[in-house]
């Protein structure tokens, strides 16, 4: 295969592999037959970038990524020859199979049938920050893994893909929660040392819980982020999520949705606003978004709720 010319951001790694940033379209098209069908924006989610690819038979030259790469295979079983570092395997990718390639690891591959997959590019600094928030380790080395059936990672990948396809209907807090769960799973199962999550008892101190709830109430109409709420509680997003659920029985995302529905009920009872106006006033993207969550929490649609008053 003829080696392509390199864009300014793409340089040979020490091993001779092309150092590639898979979050940049100019790098991707130098090593893959086409760009992604769907892709998140750089910095859109906390340390995670998603791309969805559909490729014909192809051979990837040896590359090394600036990010940790998690490949999630979709839809069509595919036979792949995969090189990673000095290791080689012939892999039969099934739907939900996952490949883990740590940052800076030389790798290449070829396949002889259509290949559909999600590529999750993880910021190594964000990954290290999460590891330190779990057990104060100064290092967290992600291990390469050729293939494994991973229903959790597969589900997170599909949920993030659906979030992009919906125009980010779930909001930042929902996506942040998915990314945090992904990082935690990788830390537990794919690092040099199992990241034993400490047992936390008692939930959030009352004054911190009250501060977070007051903040949510004041800014319910905003697209709240997990890091934003965690900062109010003066905790890492990982600890905050776990302690908040211990205190309330709900994840931060579930709590915010519940509060939006409760405020919508009050506004609908007052009868001064249209359903579309109520949806926007309580932080939902549009009326259909309100209808979806209102029925889940209340058991009836907003219109039926109004008629029953």
């Amino acid at each position: 295969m003829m080696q392509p010319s390199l864009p300014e951001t793409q340089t040979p790694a020490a091993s001779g592999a092309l150092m590639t940033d898979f979050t940049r379209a100019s790098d991707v098209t130098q090593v893959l037959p086409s760009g992604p069908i769907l892709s998140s924006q750089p910095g859109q989610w906390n340390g995670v970038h998603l791309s969805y690819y559909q490729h014909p038979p192809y051979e990837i030259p040896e590359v090394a990524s600036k990010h940790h790469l998690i490949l999630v295979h979709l839809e069509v079983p595919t036979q792949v020859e995969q090189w990673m570092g000095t290791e080689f395997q012939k892999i039969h990718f099934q739907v939900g199979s996952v490949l883990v390639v740590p940052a800076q690891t030389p790798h290449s591959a070829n396949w002889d049938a259509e290949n559909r997959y999600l590529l999750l590019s993880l910021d190594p600094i964000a990954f290290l920050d999460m590891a330190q928030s779990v057990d104060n380790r100064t290092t967290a080395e992600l291990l390469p893994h050729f293939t494994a059936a991973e229903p959790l990672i597969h589900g997170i990948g599909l949920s993030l893909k659906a979030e992009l396809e919906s125009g980010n209907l779930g909001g930042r807090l929902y996506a942040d929660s998915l990314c945090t769960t992904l990082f935690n799973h990788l830390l537990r199962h794919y690092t040099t040392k199992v990241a034993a999550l400490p047992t936390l008892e008692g939930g959030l101190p009352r004054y911190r819980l009250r501060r977070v709830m007051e903040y949510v109430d004041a800014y319910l109409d905003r697209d709240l982020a997990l890091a934003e709420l965690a900062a109010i509680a003066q905790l890492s997003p990982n600890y905050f999520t776990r302690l908040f659920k211990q205190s309330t029985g709900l994840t931060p995302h579930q709590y915010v949705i519940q509060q939006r529905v409760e405020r919508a009920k009050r506004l609908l009872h007052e009868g001064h606003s249209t359903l579309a106006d109520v949806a926007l006033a309580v932080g939902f993207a549009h009326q259909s978004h309100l209808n979806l969550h209102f029925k889940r929490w209340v058991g009836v649609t907003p219109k039926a709720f109004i008629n029953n008053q």
Side-chain angles (χ1 to χ4, degrees):
M1 178 179 294
M2 183 176 295
Q3 180 171 307
S5 59
L6 303 181
E8 291 182 3
T9 59
Q10 197 171 21
T11 57
S15 65
L18 303 182
M19 185 58 68
T20 304
D21 185 340
F22 283 92
T23 69
R24 297 176 63 94
S26 58
D27 278 24
V28 167
T29 53
Q30 294 297 315
V31 297
L32 293 175
S34 60
I37 297 172
L38 181 71
S39 180
S40 60
Q41 297 299 315
Q44 179 175 348
W45 296 324
N46 186 26
V48 177
H49 181 274
L50 178 142
S51 299
Y52 171 50
Y53 293 97
Q54 180 176 337
H55 288 147
Y58 194 69
E59 179 179 353
I60 300 175
E62 188 177 46
V63 297
S65 172
K66 296 181 179 181
H67 299 82
H68 300 314
L69 301 180
I70 313 298
L71 184 149
V72 183
H73 194 76
L74 304 179
E75 300 178 50
V76 182
T78 305
Q79 191 77 23
V80 177
E81 292 185 335
Q82 181 79 46
W83 288 262
M84 197 183 321
T86 60
E87 301 295 321
F88 167 78
Q89 279 192 15
K90 288 186 176 181
I91 302 170
H92 187 64
F93 276 129
Q94 299 286 351
V95 175
S97 294
V98 169
L99 179 77
V100 179
V101 185
Q104 312 296 326
T105 302
H107 61 282
S108 61
N110 68 70
W111 55 90
D112 58 7
E114 183 180 85
N115 196 3
R116 302 181 190 179
Y117 58 94
L118 298 175
L119 189 64
L120 298 167
S121 301
L122 312 184
D123 182 352
I125 295 177
F127 189 76
L128 177 59
D129 288 345
M130 177 62 75
Q132 291 174 335
S133 77
V134 169
D135 66 357
N136 294 317
R137 284 184 294 164
T138 57
T139 60
E141 184 180 353
L142 189 68
L143 297 175
H145 202 92
F146 273 96
T147 185
E150 274 285 4
L152 179 62
I153 297 178
H154 179 229
I156 290 172
L158 290 179
S159 295
L160 289 172
K161 177 175 178 284
E163 181 67 0
L164 283 182
E165 291 170 333
S166 73
N168 302 301
L169 188 61
R172 292 171 61 193
L173 189 57
Y174 174 63
D176 286 350
S177 298
L178 290 172
C179 294
T180 298
T181 301
L182 173 63
F183 277 15
N184 274 328
H185 183 75
L186 292 171
L187 284 167
R188 287 180 174 182
H189 300 287
Y190 292 93
T191 56
T192 50
K193 174 184 174 183
V194 175
L197 299 180
T199 300
L200 302 174
E201 301 294 343
L204 284 170
R206 286 189 179 183
Y207 76 96
R208 293 193 186 190
L209 180 61
R210 183 174 65 252
R211 189 183 300 162
V212 171
M213 289 179 165
E214 289 173 349
Y215 186 87
V216 170
D217 186 66
Y219 298 105
L220 197 58
D221 60 333
R222 285 177 30 177
D223 189 10
L224 297 168
L226 181 60
E228 186 179 354
L229 300 183
I232 298 299
Q234 299 179 316
L235 293 167
S236 71
N238 181 51
Y239 274 4
F240 169 71
T241 298
R242 295 171 61 204
L243 292 176
F244 187 90
K245 187 170 184 179
Q246 285 184 15
S247 296
T248 65
L250 302 171
T251 66
H253 177 251
Q254 289 170 335
Y255 175 77
V256 169
I257 294 297
Q258 180 197 60
Q259 293 305 300
R260 285 175 174 161
V261 169
E262 288 301 316
R263 184 174 295 182
K265 286 168 63 177
R266 293 197 298 271
L267 293 175
L268 293 173
H269 182 71
E270 293 169 1
H272 301 309
S273 304
T274 65
L275 289 177
D277 289 340
V278 168
L280 296 177
V282 302
F284 288 120
H286 44 64
Q287 184 177 329
S288 296
H289 198 200
L290 167 65
N291 289 343
L292 173 68
H293 289 292
F294 196 97
K295 188 170 183 180
R296 283 179 177 173
W297 283 92
V298 182
V300 297
T301 65
K303 186 171 292 186
F305 177 80
I306 293 172
N307 293 336
N308 290 335
Q309 296 301 302

